[in-house]
Amino acid sequence: MISLVDLQFPIGNPLPLLQTFLPKNLASADIHPSLISNELWTKTTTRQMSGPFSIDEAHAIFGGHFHTSPLGLVEKVPSDGSWQMIQHLSKMDNMGFSTNDALD
């Protein structure tokens, strides 16, 4: 999913993107894939996120290259069986850049 909120409310000073970055989700996303699907469905139906978009649609929306962050799951409290979806914003591309690098 790509959020259009990022286009309207920048939270840093990112460098120009020279490539599109589409990393695979974290292995933890496979533990309970329905939790991730439900979370994304909730975020899109409540208009906290837009999408889903194809790669071509995303290129058109962003006017060029874009980066995505892999999704994963973490337990809220270890061993309690309650999981939370996360976005790994520190995942680096092949040039060593991550979304977190551009945040103030």
Side-chain angles (χ1 to χ4, degrees):
M1 290 279 186
I2 298 166
S3 172
L4 295 182
V5 171
D6 295 332
L7 289 175
Q8 298 169 1
F9 303 101
I11 56 175
N13 247 340
L15 297 172
L17 299 177
L18 303 176
Q19 63 182 0
T20 295
F21 181 55
L22 302 167
K24 292 182 179 184
N25 285 334
L26 304 175
S28 63
D30 294 332
I31 295 170
H32 298 292
S34 63
L35 292 176
I36 299 234
S37 294
N38 289 341
E39 179 77 13
L40 295 174
W41 181 84
T42 298
K43 288 185 178 295
T44 55
T45 58
T46 59
R47 303 184 74 136
Q48 296 174 40
M49 246 184 186
S50 298
F53 301 109
S54 70
I55 294 171
D56 288 338
E57 289 170 324
H59 277 125
I61 290 166
F62 292 109
H65 294 298
F66 62 94
H67 283 196
T68 64
S69 298
L71 301 177
L73 293 170
V74 295
E75 281 189 286
K76 290 182 181 181
V77 177
S79 301
D80 80 346
S82 179
W83 295 84
Q84 175 69 45
M85 183 182 81
I86 61 165
Q87 290 178 275
H88 183 13
L89 300 176
S90 295
K91 178 70 176 174
M92 290 185 193
D93 64 14
N94 64 344
M95 297 174 68
F97 176 81
S98 76
T99 299
N100 275 341
D101 291 332
L103 302 179
D104 294 333

